Amino acid sequence: MASFSNDQLLQEIKSCEDLLTDRIADNMETFGVSSTVGRLLGIIYMNREAMTLDSLADETGMSKTRMSQVMRQMISLNIAEKEYVKGSRKDHYNVERDYAQTFISLFTSNWSEVVKRNTSLERRLREQIRHLETFLTEDSSEDVKVRMERLQQELDEWNAYYNWIDNLVAFFESGEIFNHVPIVSSEQEGGSTK
Amino acid sequence: MASFSNDQLLQEIKSCEDLLTDRIADNMETFGVSSTVGRLLGIIYMNREAMTLDSLADETGMSKTRMSQVMRQMISLNIAEKEYVKGSRKDHYNVERDYAQTFISLFTSNWSEVVKRNTSLERRLREQIRHLETFLTEDSSEDVKVRMERLQQELDEWNAYYNWIDNLVAFFESGEIFNHVPIVSSEQEGGSTK
DNA sequence: AAATCTGTGCAATTTAAACTTTACAAAGTA
DNA sequence: TACTTTGTAAAGTTTAAATTGCACAGATTT
């Protein structure tokens, strides 16, 4: 078949990279964030150095405002950060370059929030139950007693579950997970041995 | 203060249960599914026995069609199943009653899908690269060679990452995770010892 | 066979999320 | 001081997701 010119080759390579970025964007939705988060992650990652809002807007064809919104979100998710570049007035953003670390950051951000919300609800309900219990008398219907008891058990199970999630988060965040599920880099020839 | 009648107490208990259901619905969004999935999960869970589309529609105030859609989704996510009830023509749906198991099912469903998609993309790109490599000649620009090399490395990292996720999924699905992050039920008095 | 019930495909509608436009404050520059 | 540049707040628009209403097929009952 026809050969490729240098420029054509470059373009082909770029289109491979774009496929990767697209996939990152897709996959990121699994974390419950907009695919644009993943897209920016991919773009900055592939770019191999920090980027400005303008260059991101340029690359995605989206508005600078949106870039600002997304980068802020990414920072709050702990998967990006501003990087000071001397001589430039613009903010430069860089991303976590370790995939697994990104996974952990997102996992942690999401579930910590859930645990927090749950803990406060649990406290509230325990209090409410204690309050309601004071109104239980001998002539309270059997139904009420049973339901109350069940609610208690329910809360106990919840507590166990959210404690588990909390421990799970710690298990990831501390990196202990890697002791049991290690990352094995593939055995491609010329593979870099960090 | 004023005392509570039996009915009032029941209502108060119900409203506690509703708060729990609401929270389940909220939390479920962390798995990237609609909160209605969580709401139905919560409702059926609290109901303590299988429910029909009609009773669900009744409970949520939503259309039966939507109930059907959501239940199907839940079944495909492995967190609900139809249950045969003799004497009834309606389908009855029940849900996984173990919180942690639900977590694992959702985690597994989501990430298995991601791994699968990625694997097929990786294969495609490896092939494309092998193809492009045949066009590399001595007069190919240095830039092209570097980019090509980088792309290779990129794919190696991807491969390592998705293998990790795949192992992670197995780690959860097999229940091995519980050996390292156990579920500890809280020490409430009268706590049931399964 | 006619009548009813049940679940779901499909198009239409509503609601929520993503994204843009405009405007402006803060900080830098001339 | 007046003029740019940069990031983002706020409100508006577009796009996508959630939800409904209608219709109908398949199964069940009368």
Side-chain angles (χ1 to χ4, degrees):
Chain A
M1 277 294 200
S3 172
F4 278 113
S5 77
N6 235 300
D7 280 357
Q8 281 172 320
L9 273 177
L10 266 181
Q11 200 170 337
E12 289 291 327
I13 293 171
K14 179 75 165 69
S15 89
C16 286
E17 291 173 357
D18 285 350
L19 282 178
L20 284 178
T21 303
D22 287 350
R23 185 51 46 88
I24 292 179
D26 267 13
N27 292 347
M28 204 56 73
E29 295 199 44
T30 306
F31 287 112
V33 297
S34 153
S35 72
T36 306
V37 169
R39 171 146 284 115
L40 296 201
L41 179 68
I43 288 173
I44 299 176
Y45 182 87
M46 291 296 173
N47 186 250
R48 286 167 176 261
E49 61 185 10
M51 292 176 75
T52 66
L53 293 181
D54 284 314
S55 56
L56 286 171
D58 201 44
E59 188 78 24
T60 57
M62 287 182 185
S63 71
K64 191 162 72 152
T65 297
R66 182 62 182 144
M67 299 302 98
S68 170
Q69 294 167 339
V70 171
M71 288 316 304
R72 185 144 34 129
Q73 184 183 356
M74 289 174 73
I75 286 173
S76 88
L77 287 169
N78 268 307
I79 58 173
E81 55 187 10
K82 288 192 189 181
E83 200 169 80
Y84 177 70
V85 173
K86 83 166 183 181
S88 173
R89 268 161 73 183
K90 305 190 187 209
D91 289 348
H92 288 244
Y93 296 90
N94 216 333
V95 295
E96 174 59 55
R97 307 203 93 74
D98 181 319
Y99 286 127
Q101 188 50 54
T102 300
F103 180 99
I104 289 175
S105 289
L106 289 170
F107 185 89
T108 298
S109 303
N110 284 337
W111 289 107
S112 296
E113 186 54 35
V114 170
V115 168
K116 194 176 114 202
R117 282 200 304 255
N118 173 71
T119 306
S120 96
L121 176 68
E122 191 194 338
R123 193 171 28 240
R124 230 175 90 206
L125 287 183
R126 294 259 189 223
E127 207 159 314
Q128 169 73 346
I129 288 178
R130 202 142 18 85
H131 178 62
L132 290 180
E133 266 176 340
T134 64
F135 295 111
L136 273 185
T137 58
E138 286 151 11
D139 46 307
S140 294
S141 81
E142 196 56 32
D143 192 26
V144 167
K145 286 177 191 161
V146 170
R147 293 283 286 279
M148 197 83 108
E149 179 60 28
R150 279 184 183 169
L151 194 49
Q152 295 267 18
Q153 286 172 8
E154 211 44 63
L155 282 181
D156 289 349
E157 283 198 44
W158 265 56
N159 182 273
Y161 174 57
Y162 285 102
N163 274 337
W164 181 67
I165 293 207
D166 206 18
N167 292 336
L168 204 53
V169 167
F171 187 66
F172 275 86
E173 203 169 22
S174 68
E176 202 189 329
I177 178 69
F178 295 121
N179 296 339
H180 305 96
V181 184
I183 296 186
V184 286
S185 32
S186 60
E187 302 275 317
Q188 306 295 128
E189 89 262 58
S192 67
T193 4
K194 262 198 210 156
Chain B
M1 277 294 201
S3 172
F4 278 113
S5 76
N6 236 300
D7 281 357
Q8 281 172 321
L9 273 177
L10 266 181
Q11 202 171 336
E12 288 291 329
I13 291 171
K14 179 74 167 67
S15 88
C16 286
E17 290 172 357
D18 286 350
L19 283 177
L20 284 179
T21 302
D22 288 350
R23 184 51 47 87
I24 292 179
D26 267 13
N27 292 348
M28 204 57 70
E29 295 199 44
T30 306
F31 288 110
V33 297
S34 153
S35 73
T36 307
V37 169
R39 172 146 283 114
L40 296 201
L41 179 68
I43 288 174
I44 299 177
Y45 182 87
M46 290 296 173
N47 185 250
R48 287 168 176 259
E49 60 184 14
M51 292 176 75
T52 66
L53 293 180
D54 284 313
S55 55
L56 286 170
D58 200 45
E59 189 77 26
T60 58
M62 288 183 185
S63 70
K64 192 162 70 153
T65 298
R66 182 63 181 144
M67 299 302 96
S68 170
Q69 295 166 339
V70 171
M71 287 316 303
R72 184 143 36 129
Q73 184 183 357
M74 288 174 74
I75 286 173
S76 88
L77 288 169
N78 268 308
I79 57 173
E81 54 187 11
K82 289 192 188 180
E83 200 170 80
Y84 177 70
V85 172
K86 82 167 182 180
S88 172
R89 269 160 73 181
K90 305 189 187 209
D91 289 348
H92 288 245
Y93 297 90
N94 216 335
V95 295
E96 173 59 56
R97 306 203 93 76
D98 181 319
Y99 286 128
Q101 188 51 54
T102 299
F103 180 99
I104 289 176
S105 289
L106 290 169
F107 185 89
T108 298
S109 305
N110 284 337
W111 289 107
S112 296
E113 187 54 35
V114 170
V115 168
K116 194 175 113 201
R117 282 199 304 253
N118 173 71
T119 306
S120 95
L121 176 69
E122 192 195 337
R123 194 171 29 239
R124 229 174 91 206
L125 288 183
R126 294 259 188 222
E127 210 160 311
Q128 168 75 345
I129 288 179
R130 203 140 20 84
H131 178 62
L132 290 180
E133 266 176 340
T134 64
F135 295 111
L136 273 184
T137 58
E138 284 152 11
D139 44 307
S140 293
S141 80
E142 195 56 34
D143 192 24
V144 166
K145 287 176 192 160
V146 169
R147 292 283 287 278
M148 199 81 107
E149 178 62 28
R150 278 184 185 171
L151 194 49
Q152 295 266 19
Q153 285 173 8
E154 211 44 62
L155 282 182
D156 289 349
E157 284 199 44
W158 265 56
N159 182 272
Y161 174 57
Y162 285 103
N163 275 337
W164 182 66
I165 293 206
D166 206 18
N167 291 335
L168 204 53
V169 167
F171 188 66
F172 276 84
E173 204 170 20
S174 68
E176 202 189 330
I177 178 69
F178 295 121
N179 296 337
H180 305 96
V181 184
I183 296 187
V184 285
S185 31
S186 61
E187 302 276 315
Q188 306 295 130
E189 90 260 56
S192 68
T193 5
K194 266 199 208 154

